[in-house]
Amino acid sequence: AQCALGTNYLAVCDESGREGAAAAEGIRSILRGERDRFGLEYTCHSPDEQRWFAMRVTRFSGEGCMRLVVCHENITQRKRNEALRREQGSLRGAVTAMEQVLGVVGHELRTPLAGLRAMSEFLLTDGARDTEEATQFLGAMNEEVVRMGDTVDQLLEAARLNSGRARWNWSEFPLRQVCEGAMDTVRQLVDKSRVTITCEVQPADAAMRGDPEAIRRLVLNLAGNSRKHTTDGEIRVAIHACADDEGDWVELRVSDTGTGIAPEIVARLGEPFALNSGIVGANHVSGTGLGLAICKGVAAAHGGAISIESASGRGTIMTVRLRADLGGPACGGGKSLVSNSTTTDSPPVVRQQAEVFA
């Protein structure tokens, strides 16, 4: 190695990029008497590999001229071991998640499949096809097949969003047309004599840039969740276009006067399969949670977020804030920021702020 005696070490650090500047500042802080020790881990790239080093600076005690000792230790192997442990942890988490998904999907499909088997076996018996039960069974079988098909479609859609491989068809579209299209579907599923459904868009000609089919699914999923919990009362969808210093926005609010959601469930909304975690029995919660997980991915791709406010017996409000002026998806849909919000009230309302990365 070339002799470096007489070289200004601080000058060498200052000329060595950001990490070198941080090392120089650490040494100067000791020289100024602000600390006795300083440590820094940094990378060093060579043509063949990336290496890591730990720099330690210590001040000698005693009077007279201040002296420092600077030590550099090669910690490459330690860093590689740490990366390996993180990777192993990620793999264990992936295996656990897969087991959870398999458990829930197995439960979601096993029960209807058992019913389909029993009904089909009846229809195969002699003389069964001409009975009144045969017509009822055929209708029930069709409903179960459609429901299982919807579950599989949602599972595939959530997987595409989570992996960042979702396909987006970006364009500018009128919000009222998309919203009304989704609500027409929901209206067919409710008892109109007991549940009132309204849809309001302000201004009436409001438009946004995004994927119109994805936004329709978002409205349909949120309003569909409200329908499941509202047998009497009102489901209201309100869309408001606004702007601030960051750009143009659309706020979508779906509110209902239904049964509301228990606090322990609110805290887990938006996580696929998290409502039941594969547990069947008294702790099992109906539904896979895929619908809201898809909504999270759609909101993230449109530069937005979802907040949820609910209380048992007092209904639910779901608010989605979306960018209306994006030229393309903000992300693949796999990462999203969702806040589940509630407050302490009577009956209790849970307000939580959480970043959830799906």
Side-chain angles (χ1 to χ4, degrees):
Q2 186 177 2
C3 180
L5 289 176
T7 302
N8 188 318
Y9 188 78
L10 287 175
V12 173
C13 291
D14 286 331
E15 295 172 358
S16 300
R18 184 176 60 184
E19 292 177 333
E25 177 57 29
I27 294 173
R28 290 190 174 99
S29 67
I30 295 178
L31 295 174
R32 292 192 296 264
E34 298 173 358
R35 63 174 77 181
D36 293 326
R37 296 180 179 84
F38 171 74
L40 174 70
E41 293 185 357
Y42 62 94
T43 58
C44 180
H45 296 272
S46 66
D48 299 327
E49 63 177 351
Q50 182 183 27
R51 296 180 295 169
W52 288 264
F53 291 85
M55 173 186 180
R56 297 182 182 86
V57 185
T58 304
R59 175 183 177 179
F60 279 110
S61 60
E63 299 179 356
C65 181
M66 182 182 293
R67 293 180 174 85
L68 308 179
V69 59
V70 180
C71 173
H72 294 266
E73 177 188 2
N74 189 331
I75 59 171
T76 301
Q77 191 58 48
R78 191 192 84 191
K79 286 291 187 179
R80 288 174 178 169
N81 291 340
E82 291 174 354
L84 181 59
R85 285 194 293 270
R86 287 195 298 270
E87 183 176 352
Q88 291 172 339
S90 298
L91 289 174
R92 285 193 294 269
V95 171
T96 300
M98 182 182 68
E99 291 173 347
Q100 175 183 329
V101 169
L102 291 175
V104 177
V105 170
H107 172 76
E108 291 292 326
L109 298 181
R110 180 176 60 184
T111 301
L113 283 173
L116 288 173
R117 178 178 178 177
M119 289 184 285
S120 63
E121 289 176 347
F122 170 79
L123 293 174
L124 290 172
T125 59
D126 294 338
R129 298 184 184 183
D130 297 328
T131 64
E132 182 179 351
E133 289 84 354
T135 302
Q136 296 175 351
F137 282 179
L138 286 173
M141 291 170 67
N142 179 71
E143 291 179 0
E144 287 295 345
V145 169
V146 171
R147 190 183 72 82
M148 287 191 293
D150 289 341
T151 298
V152 173
D153 288 342
Q154 286 190 330
L155 183 62
L156 294 174
E157 181 67 14
R160 283 193 292 266
L161 288 168
N162 189 58
S163 65
R165 298 196 305 269
R167 301 180 184 89
W168 304 101
N169 296 311
W170 224 253
S171 64
E172 185 169 352
F173 58 91
L175 285 165
R176 176 175 290 279
Q177 178 180 344
V178 169
C179 180
E180 286 291 354
M183 298 311 294
D184 284 344
T185 300
V186 178
R187 288 187 180 97
Q188 299 175 17
L189 304 175
V190 301
D191 184 345
K192 298 179 179 62
S193 65
R194 302 177 63 181
V195 180
T196 302
I197 296 180
T198 60
C199 180
E200 179 183 357
V201 180
Q202 293 293 335
D205 59 350
M208 70 173 288
R209 291 193 58 80
D211 186 324
E213 177 58 25
I215 298 300
R216 189 193 72 83
R217 290 200 307 272
L218 185 149
V219 175
L220 184 59
N221 281 340
L222 295 182
N225 282 338
S226 290
R227 179 193 66 82
K228 294 176 184 177
H229 297 281
T230 308
T231 55
D232 286 283
E234 179 184 14
I235 299 173
R236 183 184 179 195
V237 177
I239 297 178
H240 176 63
C242 55
D244 59 19
D245 294 338
E246 295 183 17
D248 297 332
W249 295 85
V250 167
E251 183 178 278
L252 165 66
R253 176 169 293 191
V254 179
S255 57
D256 63 65
T257 57
T259 57
I261 307 171
E264 63 272 15
I265 298 178
V266 171
R268 305 180 70 184
L269 286 177
E271 302 175 37
F273 305 108
L275 296 185
N276 46 38
S277 301
I279 300 174
V280 182
N283 295 327
H284 178 74
V285 178
S286 177
T288 61
L290 288 171
L292 193 54
I294 292 172
C295 290
K296 285 172 48 181
V298 171
H302 290 78
I306 302 177
S307 65
I308 304 169
E309 183 175 344
S310 186
S312 297
R314 296 179 57 184
T316 301
I317 299 175
M318 296 193 178
T319 304
V320 188
R321 186 170 166 84
L322 308 171
R323 283 290 297 270
D325 55 359
L326 296 180
C331 67
K335 295 182 179 180
S336 58
L337 175 63
V338 174
S339 64
N340 296 332
S341 14
T342 50
T343 63
T344 301
D345 202 346
S346 180
V349 181
V350 176
R351 261 193 207 280
Q352 298 181 348
Q353 299 293 333
E355 292 186 356
V356 180
F357 296 97

PDB file of all heavy atoms in Angstrom, residues 255-279:
ATOM      1  N   SER A 255     -71.493   5.882   3.378  1.00  0.00           N
ATOM      2  CA  SER A 255     -71.963   5.820   4.769  1.00  0.00           C
ATOM      3  C   SER A 255     -73.258   5.022   4.833  1.00  0.00           C
ATOM      4  O   SER A 255     -74.035   4.990   3.878  1.00  0.00           O
ATOM      5  CB  SER A 255     -72.180   7.228   5.329  1.00  0.00           C
ATOM      6  OG  SER A 255     -73.101   7.957   4.531  1.00  0.00           O
ATOM      7  N   ASP A 256     -73.464   4.386   5.978  1.00  0.00           N
ATOM      8  CA  ASP A 256     -74.690   3.627   6.163  1.00  0.00           C
ATOM      9  C   ASP A 256     -75.153   3.750   7.612  1.00  0.00           C
ATOM     10  O   ASP A 256     -74.406   4.211   8.478  1.00  0.00           O
ATOM     11  CB  ASP A 256     -74.494   2.152   5.785  1.00  0.00           C
ATOM     12  CG  ASP A 256     -73.480   1.438   6.672  1.00  0.00           C
ATOM     13  OD1 ASP A 256     -73.746   1.293   7.886  1.00  0.00           O
ATOM     14  OD2 ASP A 256     -72.430   1.012   6.165  1.00  0.00           O
ATOM     15  N   THR A 257     -76.382   3.345   7.840  1.00  0.00           N
ATOM     16  CA  THR A 257     -76.965   3.376   9.186  1.00  0.00           C
ATOM     17  C   THR A 257     -77.166   1.964   9.706  1.00  0.00           C
ATOM     18  O   THR A 257     -78.096   1.693  10.457  1.00  0.00           O
ATOM     19  CB  THR A 257     -78.312   4.121   9.167  1.00  0.00           C
ATOM     20  OG1 THR A 257     -79.191   3.477   8.232  1.00  0.00           O
ATOM     21  CG2 THR A 257     -78.124   5.570   8.753  1.00  0.00           C
ATOM     22  N   GLY A 258     -76.276   1.061   9.287  1.00  0.00           N
ATOM     23  CA  GLY A 258     -76.425  -0.347   9.625  1.00  0.00           C
ATOM     24  C   GLY A 258     -75.922  -0.703  11.007  1.00  0.00           C
ATOM     25  O   GLY A 258     -75.804   0.149  11.902  1.00  0.00           O
ATOM     26  N   THR A 259     -75.591  -1.966  11.163  1.00  0.00           N
ATOM     27  CA  THR A 259     -75.207  -2.496  12.473  1.00  0.00           C
ATOM     28  C   THR A 259     -73.828  -2.052  12.924  1.00  0.00           C
ATOM     29  O   THR A 259     -73.483  -2.188  14.091  1.00  0.00           O
ATOM     30  CB  THR A 259     -75.237  -4.032  12.439  1.00  0.00           C
ATOM     31  OG1 THR A 259     -74.357  -4.498  11.399  1.00  0.00           O
ATOM     32  CG2 THR A 259     -76.648  -4.536  12.164  1.00  0.00           C
ATOM     33  N   GLY A 260     -73.027  -1.510  12.009  1.00  0.00           N
ATOM     34  CA  GLY A 260     -71.676  -1.109  12.375  1.00  0.00           C
ATOM     35  C   GLY A 260     -70.747  -2.304  12.478  1.00  0.00           C
ATOM     36  O   GLY A 260     -71.136  -3.455  12.248  1.00  0.00           O
ATOM     37  N   ILE A 261     -69.505  -2.021  12.833  1.00  0.00           N
ATOM     38  CA  ILE A 261     -68.475  -3.053  12.880  1.00  0.00           C
ATOM     39  C   ILE A 261     -67.812  -3.018  14.248  1.00  0.00           C
ATOM     40  O   ILE A 261     -67.490  -1.943  14.765  1.00  0.00           O
ATOM     41  CB  ILE A 261     -67.425  -2.826  11.778  1.00  0.00           C
ATOM     42  CG1 ILE A 261     -68.113  -2.687  10.415  1.00  0.00           C
ATOM     43  CG2 ILE A 261     -66.416  -3.962  11.741  1.00  0.00           C
ATOM     44  CD1 ILE A 261     -67.183  -2.258   9.306  1.00  0.00           C
ATOM     45  N   ALA A 262     -67.605  -4.171  14.830  1.00  0.00           N
ATOM     46  CA  ALA A 262     -66.972  -4.253  16.144  1.00  0.00           C
ATOM     47  C   ALA A 262     -65.545  -3.710  16.088  1.00  0.00           C
ATOM     48  O   ALA A 262     -64.864  -3.855  15.074  1.00  0.00           O
ATOM     49  CB  ALA A 262     -66.961  -5.701  16.632  1.00  0.00           C
ATOM     50  N   PRO A 263     -65.081  -3.078  17.169  1.00  0.00           N
ATOM     51  CA  PRO A 263     -63.747  -2.470  17.166  1.00  0.00           C
ATOM     52  C   PRO A 263     -62.631  -3.434  16.813  1.00  0.00           C
ATOM     53  O   PRO A 263     -61.707  -3.080  16.079  1.00  0.00           O
ATOM     54  CB  PRO A 263     -63.590  -1.953  18.602  1.00  0.00           C
ATOM     55  CG  PRO A 263     -64.984  -1.759  19.095  1.00  0.00           C
ATOM     56  CD  PRO A 263     -65.802  -2.822  18.435  1.00  0.00           C
ATOM     57  N   GLU A 264     -62.686  -4.667  17.313  1.00  0.00           N
ATOM     58  CA  GLU A 264     -61.600  -5.608  17.033  1.00  0.00           C
ATOM     59  C   GLU A 264     -61.552  -6.004  15.566  1.00  0.00           C
ATOM     60  O   GLU A 264     -60.500  -6.405  15.050  1.00  0.00           O
ATOM     61  CB  GLU A 264     -61.738  -6.864  17.899  1.00  0.00           C
ATOM     62  CG  GLU A 264     -62.989  -7.679  17.649  1.00  0.00           C
ATOM     63  CD  GLU A 264     -64.183  -7.232  18.477  1.00  0.00           C
ATOM     64  OE1 GLU A 264     -64.126  -6.110  19.042  1.00  0.00           O
ATOM     65  OE2 GLU A 264     -65.172  -7.984  18.564  1.00  0.00           O
ATOM     66  N   ILE A 265     -62.680  -5.875  14.863  1.00  0.00           N
ATOM     67  CA  ILE A 265     -62.701  -6.173  13.435  1.00  0.00           C
ATOM     68  C   ILE A 265     -62.251  -4.959  12.638  1.00  0.00           C
ATOM     69  O   ILE A 265     -61.531  -5.090  11.649  1.00  0.00           O
ATOM     70  CB  ILE A 265     -64.106  -6.632  13.000  1.00  0.00           C
ATOM     71  CG1 ILE A 265     -64.485  -7.923  13.725  1.00  0.00           C
ATOM     72  CG2 ILE A 265     -64.170  -6.840  11.495  1.00  0.00           C
ATOM     73  CD1 ILE A 265     -65.859  -8.435  13.402  1.00  0.00           C
ATOM     74  N   VAL A 266     -62.654  -3.760  13.071  1.00  0.00           N
ATOM     75  CA  VAL A 266     -62.227  -2.538  12.392  1.00  0.00           C
ATOM     76  C   VAL A 266     -60.710  -2.470  12.306  1.00  0.00           C
ATOM     77  O   VAL A 266     -60.131  -2.085  11.290  1.00  0.00           O
ATOM     78  CB  VAL A 266     -62.773  -1.288  13.123  1.00  0.00           C
ATOM     79  CG1 VAL A 266     -62.151  -0.018  12.564  1.00  0.00           C
ATOM     80  CG2 VAL A 266     -64.282  -1.222  12.995  1.00  0.00           C
ATOM     81  N   ALA A 267     -60.047  -2.880  13.388  1.00  0.00           N
ATOM     82  CA  ALA A 267     -58.593  -2.793  13.437  1.00  0.00           C
ATOM     83  C   ALA A 267     -57.918  -3.689  12.407  1.00  0.00           C
ATOM     84  O   ALA A 267     -56.755  -3.474  12.081  1.00  0.00           O
ATOM     85  CB  ALA A 267     -58.098  -3.160  14.839  1.00  0.00           C
ATOM     86  N   ARG A 268     -58.652  -4.669  11.857  1.00  0.00           N
ATOM     87  CA  ARG A 268     -58.037  -5.624  10.937  1.00  0.00           C
ATOM     88  C   ARG A 268     -58.590  -5.514   9.524  1.00  0.00           C
ATOM     89  O   ARG A 268     -58.188  -6.281   8.643  1.00  0.00           O
ATOM     90  CB  ARG A 268     -58.248  -7.045  11.457  1.00  0.00           C
ATOM     91  CG  ARG A 268     -57.756  -7.239  12.873  1.00  0.00           C
ATOM     92  CD  ARG A 268     -57.984  -8.649  13.360  1.00  0.00           C
ATOM     93  NE  ARG A 268     -57.112  -9.588  12.669  1.00  0.00           N
ATOM     94  CZ  ARG A 268     -57.156 -10.903  12.849  1.00  0.00           C
ATOM     95  NH1 ARG A 268     -58.041 -11.415  13.681  1.00  0.00           N
ATOM     96  NH2 ARG A 268     -56.329 -11.696  12.212  1.00  0.00           N
ATOM     97  N   LEU A 269     -59.513  -4.587   9.301  1.00  0.00           N
ATOM     98  CA  LEU A 269     -60.108  -4.463   7.977  1.00  0.00           C
ATOM     99  C   LEU A 269     -59.046  -4.101   6.936  1.00  0.00           C
ATOM    100  O   LEU A 269     -58.147  -3.322   7.187  1.00  0.00           O
ATOM    101  CB  LEU A 269     -61.195  -3.391   7.984  1.00  0.00           C
ATOM    102  CG  LEU A 269     -62.500  -3.772   8.675  1.00  0.00           C
ATOM    103  CD1 LEU A 269     -63.455  -2.594   8.680  1.00  0.00           C
ATOM    104  CD2 LEU A 269     -63.153  -4.966   7.994  1.00  0.00           C
ATOM    105  N   GLY A 270     -59.200  -4.659   5.755  1.00  0.00           N
ATOM    106  CA  GLY A 270     -58.289  -4.364   4.668  1.00  0.00           C
ATOM    107  C   GLY A 270     -57.179  -5.373   4.503  1.00  0.00           C
ATOM    108  O   GLY A 270     -56.464  -5.353   3.501  1.00  0.00           O
ATOM    109  N   GLU A 271     -57.009  -6.284   5.456  1.00  0.00           N
ATOM    110  CA  GLU A 271     -55.997  -7.322   5.333  1.00  0.00           C
ATOM    111  C   GLU A 271     -56.669  -8.576   4.784  1.00  0.00           C
ATOM    112  O   GLU A 271     -57.618  -9.077   5.382  1.00  0.00           O
ATOM    113  CB  GLU A 271     -55.374  -7.635   6.688  1.00  0.00           C
ATOM    114  CG  GLU A 271     -54.739  -6.447   7.365  1.00  0.00           C
ATOM    115  CD  GLU A 271     -54.250  -6.800   8.753  1.00  0.00           C
ATOM    116  OE1 GLU A 271     -53.767  -7.934   8.934  1.00  0.00           O
ATOM    117  OE2 GLU A 271     -54.367  -5.957   9.653  1.00  0.00           O
ATOM    118  N   PRO A 272     -56.202  -9.098   3.661  1.00  0.00           N
ATOM    119  CA  PRO A 272     -56.827 -10.301   3.117  1.00  0.00           C
ATOM    120  C   PRO A 272     -56.808 -11.442   4.128  1.00  0.00           C
ATOM    121  O   PRO A 272     -55.770 -11.745   4.715  1.00  0.00           O
ATOM    122  CB  PRO A 272     -55.952 -10.641   1.897  1.00  0.00           C
ATOM    123  CG  PRO A 272     -55.299  -9.353   1.527  1.00  0.00           C
ATOM    124  CD  PRO A 272     -55.098  -8.613   2.822  1.00  0.00           C
ATOM    125  N   PHE A 273     -57.959 -12.048   4.359  1.00  0.00           N
ATOM    126  CA  PHE A 273     -58.130 -13.209   5.222  1.00  0.00           C
ATOM    127  C   PHE A 273     -57.863 -12.924   6.693  1.00  0.00           C
ATOM    128  O   PHE A 273     -57.888 -13.838   7.510  1.00  0.00           O
ATOM    129  CB  PHE A 273     -57.226 -14.370   4.767  1.00  0.00           C
ATOM    130  CG  PHE A 273     -57.417 -14.756   3.339  1.00  0.00           C
ATOM    131  CD1 PHE A 273     -56.452 -14.460   2.398  1.00  0.00           C
ATOM    132  CD2 PHE A 273     -58.569 -15.391   2.923  1.00  0.00           C
ATOM    133  CE1 PHE A 273     -56.625 -14.806   1.070  1.00  0.00           C
ATOM    134  CE2 PHE A 273     -58.745 -15.741   1.600  1.00  0.00           C
ATOM    135  CZ  PHE A 273     -57.779 -15.445   0.675  1.00  0.00           C
ATOM    136  N   ALA A 274     -57.605 -11.663   7.056  1.00  0.00           N
ATOM    137  CA  ALA A 274     -57.261 -11.381   8.450  1.00  0.00           C
ATOM    138  C   ALA A 274     -58.468 -11.462   9.373  1.00  0.00           C
ATOM    139  O   ALA A 274     -58.313 -11.588  10.579  1.00  0.00           O
ATOM    140  CB  ALA A 274     -56.637  -9.993   8.564  1.00  0.00           C
ATOM    141  N   LEU A 275     -59.677 -11.424   8.831  1.00  0.00           N
ATOM    142  CA  LEU A 275     -60.862 -11.424   9.687  1.00  0.00           C
ATOM    143  C   LEU A 275     -61.043 -12.751  10.400  1.00  0.00           C
ATOM    144  O   LEU A 275     -61.558 -12.800  11.509  1.00  0.00           O
ATOM    145  CB  LEU A 275     -62.116 -11.103   8.850  1.00  0.00           C
ATOM    146  CG  LEU A 275     -62.141  -9.705   8.220  1.00  0.00           C
ATOM    147  CD1 LEU A 275     -63.480  -9.488   7.545  1.00  0.00           C
ATOM    148  CD2 LEU A 275     -61.877  -8.638   9.249  1.00  0.00           C
ATOM    149  N   ASN A 276     -60.621 -13.844   9.761  1.00  0.00           N
ATOM    150  CA  ASN A 276     -60.790 -15.127  10.416  1.00  0.00           C
ATOM    151  C   ASN A 276     -59.483 -15.883  10.567  1.00  0.00           C
ATOM    152  O   ASN A 276     -59.405 -16.808  11.357  1.00  0.00           O
ATOM    153  CB  ASN A 276     -61.806 -15.999   9.655  1.00  0.00           C
ATOM    154  CG  ASN A 276     -61.547 -15.999   8.177  1.00  0.00           C
ATOM    155  OD1 ASN A 276     -60.399 -16.014   7.743  1.00  0.00           O
ATOM    156  ND2 ASN A 276     -62.609 -15.968   7.386  1.00  0.00           N
ATOM    157  N   SER A 277     -58.454 -15.501   9.812  1.00  0.00           N
ATOM    158  CA  SER A 277     -57.124 -16.109   9.938  1.00  0.00           C
ATOM    159  C   SER A 277     -57.166 -17.629   9.867  1.00  0.00           C
ATOM    160  O   SER A 277     -56.371 -18.324  10.476  1.00  0.00           O
ATOM    161  CB  SER A 277     -56.468 -15.670  11.253  1.00  0.00           C
ATOM    162  OG  SER A 277     -56.342 -14.285  11.313  1.00  0.00           O
ATOM    163  N   GLY A 278     -58.121 -18.148   9.112  1.00  0.00           N
ATOM    164  CA  GLY A 278     -58.190 -19.594   8.951  1.00  0.00           C
ATOM    165  C   GLY A 278     -58.856 -20.312  10.105  1.00  0.00           C
ATOM    166  O   GLY A 278     -58.896 -21.532  10.133  1.00  0.00           O
ATOM    167  N   ILE A 279     -59.375 -19.573  11.083  1.00  0.00           N
ATOM    168  CA  ILE A 279     -60.003 -20.198  12.252  1.00  0.00           C
ATOM    169  C   ILE A 279     -61.483 -20.400  11.973  1.00  0.00           C
ATOM    170  O   ILE A 279     -62.187 -19.471  11.601  1.00  0.00           O
ATOM    171  CB  ILE A 279     -59.818 -19.335  13.508  1.00  0.00           C
ATOM    172  CG1 ILE A 279     -58.319 -19.165  13.794  1.00  0.00           C
ATOM    173  CG2 ILE A 279     -60.523 -19.936  14.699  1.00  0.00           C
ATOM    174  CD1 ILE A 279     -58.031 -18.218  14.919  1.00  0.00           C
TER     175      ILE A 279
END
